[in-house]
Amino acid sequence: MRSPYEVLGVSPTASPEDIKKAFRKLAKKHHPDANKNDPKSVGRFAEANAAYEIIGDDKKRKAFDRGEIDAEGKPKGFEGFGGGPRGRAGGARAPEGFENFTFNTGDFQRGGGPQGGFGGFEDIISSMFGGRAGAQRGNPFGGDQTVRAAAGQDATASVRITLEEAALGVGKRVALSTGKAVEVKVPAGIQDGQQIRLKGQGFPGQGGGPAGDAHVTVQVLTHPDLTLDGNNLRVDVPIALYEAVLGGKVRVPTLDGAVDLAVPPHTHAGRTFRLKGKGFPAKSGAGDLFATVHIVLPAAPDAELDALMEKWRADKPYDPRKK
């Protein structure tokens, strides 16, 4: 049988904390409930457990280092098969403080002793799996394990979508904290920060218990033009000076494609137009889109425009701020 240090992948001078960390890593990796399709995981899990039972206990570790017990925890030169009290065979007695091992066909049992049972192992497994380690265990060297049925922990994930995708709905492939990727159907009308629950997609349960759920948090990205205001949308629409004076049709972005907005003649800057039903969808009905126009002058100076404005100022002055 391999040395417990070799099994856990640590050196004989490793600290108790390093030994504990190494065991936690192996136990989590090879736990049978997380490796249901790998029958060899039970043996690897049991081997790590047995190794930790030896060098995870200070007294047993010292006894192993002194050569008093072997890698199975049995006193060297002491067999413990069919002997007298505390497993004596031929007059040999187990050293004080060690467990009495009785091997039966297809079974493995531990007797009394100050450190009997799986105390240290249970504490670690319980901390890793949410305090749901089993109350009873069978053969840790490859046989079946009996654990208390318990639901698995919930998994988490997040997904980023555009405002259009939030409004219309979309399918996204999402990586869960369990390590697997699933297809998530994001419903139309979902809001930023809302969660989607995927039943049974969390971490596997123990002892036949149900798997946990997965909770996917949705993050709606900022739109370059549209701003969400409740279930309504707002957009700023730039128009030319002549469009404000003479009127015309301008293109306005919406969640399902651009539409034409009729700007009437003599439209003031800052005027807001309402496009009914072009807002964000909701159970009570879609909101509206509010388009506010802003007059934009030519980028480059224009001599004709300057001359026209000078003549206008001289012939037809007016004060837009008098009110």
Side-chain angles (χ1 to χ4, degrees):
M1 185 176 182
R2 292 196 298 165
S3 162
Y5 294 107
E6 183 183 354
V7 172
L8 297 185
V10 296
S11 71
T13 59
S15 67
E17 186 60 29
D18 287 339
I19 291 173
K20 186 176 182 179
K21 287 180 180 178
F23 171 69
R24 285 173 62 94
K25 183 177 179 180
L26 288 175
K28 192 170 184 178
K29 178 179 180 181
H30 298 304
H31 195 281
D33 287 339
N35 296 273
K36 294 183 179 180
N37 296 326
D38 183 6
K40 293 183 180 180
S41 65
V42 174
R44 290 191 289 264
F45 180 78
E47 185 182 34
N49 167 35
Y52 185 72
E53 282 290 302
I54 301 298
I55 61 174
D57 180 277
D58 184 58
K59 290 183 179 180
K60 294 181 185 178
R61 182 183 181 182
K62 289 179 180 178
F64 177 80
D65 291 343
R66 290 192 299 264
E68 296 175 2
I69 60 174
D70 61 17
E72 296 180 12
K74 295 186 297 181
K76 289 188 176 180
F78 171 74
E79 297 301 327
F81 290 93
R86 296 195 53 83
R88 278 188 289 189
R93 177 183 173 87
E96 186 66 27
F98 295 100
E99 301 176 33
N100 174 34
F101 292 78
T102 303
F103 289 80
N104 299 318
T105 304
D107 191 19
F108 176 84
Q109 298 176 339
R110 303 181 113 103
Q115 303 298 325
F118 283 76
F121 167 80
E122 289 292 344
D123 292 341
I124 291 180
I125 294 299
S126 180
S127 68
M128 287 197 303
F129 293 92
R132 295 190 296 272
Q136 293 181 334
R137 297 181 184 269
N139 178 6
F141 293 94
D144 293 335
Q145 290 190 342
T146 302
V147 296
R148 184 185 301 116
Q153 293 182 345
D154 289 347
T156 58
S158 62
V159 61
R160 303 172 74 185
I161 61 175
T162 65
L163 185 62
E164 291 92 340
E165 291 173 335
L168 305 175
V170 68
K172 288 284 186 178
R173 193 155 185 82
V174 177
L176 303 178
S177 56
T178 58
K180 65 181 178 181
V182 296
E183 196 72 24
V184 177
K185 183 178 181 181
V186 180
I190 197 164
Q191 298 281 346
D192 181 56
Q194 284 189 321
Q195 289 189 332
I196 300 172
R197 174 173 170 253
L198 306 177
K199 189 174 181 181
Q201 292 293 339
F203 290 93
Q206 291 181 267
D213 298 331
H215 300 275
V216 181
T217 302
V218 177
Q219 179 185 359
V220 181
L221 300 175
T222 301
H223 194 278
D225 300 314
L226 303 172
T227 302
L228 192 61
D229 180 11
N231 290 328
N232 296 322
L233 292 171
R234 296 189 178 275
V235 60
D236 290 332
V237 181
I239 61 174
L241 177 61
Y242 55 81
E243 289 174 324
V245 175
L246 304 175
K249 289 186 176 181
V250 296
R251 300 289 283 173
V252 176
T254 73
L255 290 174
D256 55 357
V259 297
D260 286 330
L261 171 67
V263 177
H266 306 290
T267 292
H268 295 284
R271 182 175 177 179
T272 298
F273 297 88
R274 175 188 176 202
L275 284 70
K276 188 174 181 180
K278 287 295 184 179
F280 198 78
K283 291 182 179 180
S284 58
D288 300 327
L289 173 62
F290 293 91
T292 302
V293 297
H294 296 273
I295 298 174
V296 179
L297 297 178
D302 188 294
E304 289 186 36
L305 179 61
D306 292 346
L308 176 61
M309 291 300 103
E310 288 177 0
K311 186 175 186 303
W312 191 288
R313 182 176 58 187
D315 296 345
K316 299 179 180 180
Y318 71 99
D319 183 3
R321 295 172 294 280
K322 66 180 179 180
K323 294 185 181 180

